[in-house]
Amino acid sequence: MAGRAEPPGGIVAAAARLGVALDAHQAEQLESFVDLLGRWNARFNLLSRQDMERIWSRHVLDSLSLLPLLPPPPRSRVLDVGSGAGLPGLPLAVASPERTFLLVDRNQRKTRFLELAVHTLGLVNVRCVCGDVAGLSGEERFDVIVSRAVAQPAQLWAWCGHLLAEGGRLVLMTGAGGHPAREAAEPDPSGQPEARSAIPLTGAHIEARCEIEIPGLDRPHEVTIIRAGEIAQTTGRPECRMS
């Protein structure tokens, strides 16, 4: 499909605009991932047809845009909550083989696709779990938890903040303008009914928000970083980066 053509200049150049360095093998892995999504989308109900037509910008590059915001190794354990079609976890795992990733989704069909993709792409740094994030034991802790358009930031903190290692953060893709846009018909990853009203952010604070320009998209996407602990109100807008 012509709509699935790579961004102008290719994926390597487009990723470089986001501060992400890809080699030829990683570019091939991402091309294989896009091909898998195209071939299996109808069977596994992974993405809308409209999203398939803009998959490189809307999904692959959007996912890669988180990489410069992740803490550097050795803080390299990443949990992707509500991974769905493997976004953002699989593109991040391709671009960052030194990190380990756990992809969690409660949908069995989507988890089967994740396992297929991990095997096809040869990703030895990725594990997949079918289930609710609330069902994770808590024995394994993560340096960063990522999630893309799953729920409000405070709700995600309530579900999985306890799974963070000391000093860990939630790095949440909160959509254009900061409003999470849950994928259509996507159940929440906790196994709990979604709250009908906003939930206060308790025991944590928003460390930073930033808008990221994605090649091929008209509007920037917002990322919110949450860290444990309370801080006094400040007048400035914190810079979106981690150390």
Side-chain angles (χ1 to χ4, degrees):
M1 180 183 295
R4 280 189 240 155
E6 284 193 28
I11 183 60
V12 173
R17 291 173 58 187
L18 296 170
V20 176
L22 299 174
D23 60 27
H25 176 63
Q26 290 167 323
E28 290 176 0
Q29 286 178 302
L30 291 174
E31 290 167 2
S32 296
F33 175 55
V34 168
D35 182 61
L36 278 175
L37 282 171
R39 286 191 285 122
W40 292 96
N41 188 49
R43 178 173 177 180
F44 289 101
N45 190 29
L46 301 166
L47 301 170
S48 70
R49 178 177 297 180
Q50 182 182 21
D51 275 354
M52 284 303 303
E53 293 174 353
R54 53 179 183 171
I55 188 168
W56 283 102
S57 57
R58 177 68 178 85
H59 295 291
V60 177
L61 289 170
D62 194 39
S63 296
L64 290 175
S65 71
L66 291 190
L67 188 58
L69 305 180
L70 301 188
R75 294 164 57 199
S76 57
R77 298 163 296 179
V78 181
L79 170 64
D80 181 5
V81 175
S83 189
L87 303 163
L90 286 180
L92 288 173
V94 167
S96 184
E98 70 277 11
R99 293 180 170 91
T100 60
F101 292 78
L102 177 63
L103 312 186
V104 177
D105 198 279
R106 65 183 307 207
N107 185 296
Q108 290 185 349
R109 288 181 302 168
K110 291 181 179 179
T111 305
R112 287 200 298 271
F113 172 78
L114 294 176
E115 292 169 342
L116 171 66
V118 168
H119 174 75
T120 302
L121 302 180
L123 296 175
V124 297
N125 59 332
V126 180
R127 293 178 293 132
C128 307
V129 169
C130 181
D132 302 325
V133 67
L136 297 181
S137 68
E139 294 180 1
E140 184 176 6
R141 298 299 178 96
F142 300 90
D143 300 298
V144 62
I145 297 174
V146 299
S147 191
R148 184 175 189 260
V150 168
Q152 296 286 340
Q155 181 66 79
L156 279 163
W157 175 261
W159 288 338
C160 56
H162 65 286
L163 298 173
L164 285 172
E166 183 176 357
R169 276 91 155 183
L170 266 63
V171 180
L172 309 178
M173 307 178 80
T174 41
H179 301 290
R182 174 83 65 85
E183 298 290 347
E186 182 72 16
D188 76 63
S190 72
Q192 304 298 322
E194 187 175 6
R196 293 182 180 273
S197 59
I199 300 172
L201 188 60
T202 304
H205 64 274
I206 293 176
E207 185 174 58
R209 281 197 180 104
C210 65
E211 291 185 340
I212 302 176
E213 298 283 349
I214 308 296
L217 296 184
D218 295 332
R219 293 188 297 169
H221 282 188
E222 185 177 84
V223 174
T224 301
I225 298 177
I226 297 176
R227 188 174 186 179
E230 306 286 356
I231 60 169
Q233 289 287 340
T234 60
T235 57
R237 185 179 176 95
E239 195 171 350
C240 197
R241 62 181 178 186
M242 287 191 285
S243 57

